[in-house]
């Protein structure tokens, strides 16, 4: 258990023995696994709310730019993400350019460079999801080696983890939808499945 955070529940009560003495009994129980399961349920419920609301928006909004802004807003309002953005591949530059965003963006999107190539600026979730055609994540942007090009800006903006979903037009990947959480290791297998959906 050294170096590991624990969630504990403590209860105590007094008990008298037959000889007139009073003793305090203390019960300490490790509830770390239970708290972790509760957090997973909260995270999944947030993502279900995002998915449901996005489905409603897709059915009623026909303008592409308005749809992208709404999808980003929903990720913030329903999913409680810190920031969300949608970007499209600029083929000639081999970069992903932001098209819509919501949440706490600050100067982040103005200062980052996201490549579609297998170079340091393309090894983040957005670049990988576009190249590989699948969801890609950073569990902890503050400590992962491949997050170096974005680490300082992520720390300044309070982004700890992020996930990117490729956007496709038929078989061709044309961009990415990226969400950021202020919680490290927010994204697990359950969340990734919902994000893909």
């Amino acid at each position: 258990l050294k170096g590991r955070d624990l969630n504990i529940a403590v209860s105590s009560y007094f008990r008298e023995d037959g000889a007139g003495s009073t003793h305090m009994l203390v019960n300490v129980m490790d509830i770390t696994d239970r708290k972790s399961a509760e957090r997973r349920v909260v995270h999944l419920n947030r993502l279900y709310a995002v998915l449901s609301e996005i489905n409603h928006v897709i059915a009623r909004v026909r303008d592409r730019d308005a749809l992208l802004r709404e999808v980003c807003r929903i990720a913030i309002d329903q999913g409680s993400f810190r920031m969300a953005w949608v970007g499209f591949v600029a083929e000639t530059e081999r970069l992903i350019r932001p098209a819509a965003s919501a949440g706490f963006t600050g100067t982040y999107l103005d200062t980052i460079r996201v490549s579609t190539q297998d170079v340091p600026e393309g090894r983040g979730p957005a670049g990988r999801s576009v190249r590989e055609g699948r969801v890609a994540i950073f569990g902890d942007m503050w400590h992962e080696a491949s997050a170096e090009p974005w680490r300082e800006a992520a720390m300044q903006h309070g982004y700890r983890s992020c996930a990117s979903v490729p956007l496709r037009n038929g078989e061709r990947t044309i961009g990415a939808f990226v969400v950021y959480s202020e919680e490290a290791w927010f994204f697990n297998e359950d969340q990734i499945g919902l994000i893909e959906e």
Side-chain angles (χ1 to χ4, degrees):
L1 297 178
K2 185 177 178 181
R4 182 176 158 221
D5 291 337
L6 295 176
N7 290 292
I8 59 171
V10 179
S11 60
S12 63
Y13 61 95
F14 292 94
R15 181 177 174 194
E16 290 186 22
D17 63 15
S21 296
T22 302
H23 303 278
M24 182 170 75
L25 298 173
V26 178
N27 182 27
V28 178
M29 185 168 51
D30 179 358
I31 59 169
T32 305
D33 291 341
R34 183 175 82 196
K35 288 295 185 182
S36 179
E38 289 171 2
R39 278 191 299 277
R40 280 194 304 273
V41 168
V42 167
H43 293 171
L44 285 173
N45 285 338
R46 284 169 41 187
L47 288 174
Y48 278 122
V50 169
L51 181 60
S52 174
E53 192 66 25
I54 287 174
N55 285 336
H56 290 291
V57 167
I58 288 171
R60 68 175 196 269
V61 176
R62 295 291 170 224
D63 177 69
R64 185 191 87 156
D65 292 339
L67 176 63
L68 298 177
R69 285 190 302 272
E70 279 296 292
V71 165
C72 291
R73 182 196 60 77
I74 290 165
I76 303 306
D77 294 349
Q78 301 295 317
S80 299
F81 289 107
R82 184 136 175 97
M83 196 263 281
W85 64 280
V86 174
F88 291 102
V89 174
E91 294 290 349
T92 56
E93 302 168 300
R94 296 183 177 182
L95 296 174
I96 302 170
R97 296 279 184 208
S101 64
F104 181 68
T105 58
T107 59
Y108 187 79
L109 293 175
D110 299 327
T111 59
I112 65 166
R113 178 181 162 91
V114 181
S115 175
T116 59
Q117 305 243 298
D118 189 12
V119 296
E121 293 82 9
R123 293 187 186 130
R128 288 190 349 252
S129 69
V130 164
R131 272 195 320 281
E132 299 168 10
R134 62 178 181 84
V135 172
I137 65 167
F138 271 152
D140 187 350
M141 295 180 74
W142 296 7
H143 296 99
E144 292 185 35
S146 56
E148 180 61 34
W150 309 280
R151 179 173 295 117
E152 186 176 325
M155 292 174 84
Q156 290 173 356
H157 291 81
Y159 310 147
R160 285 299 298 266
S161 59
C162 72
S164 178
V165 180
L167 300 177
R168 294 184 186 91
N169 184 1
E171 294 296 313
R172 196 175 63 123
T173 300
I174 60 169
F177 174 53
V178 189
V179 292
Y180 294 77
S181 174
E182 54 196 9
E183 184 179 328
W185 301 105
F186 176 86
F187 304 99
N188 64 30
E189 292 302 319
D190 295 332
Q191 283 99 346
I192 290 170
L194 277 178
I195 291 168
E196 285 176 327
E197 198 171 326

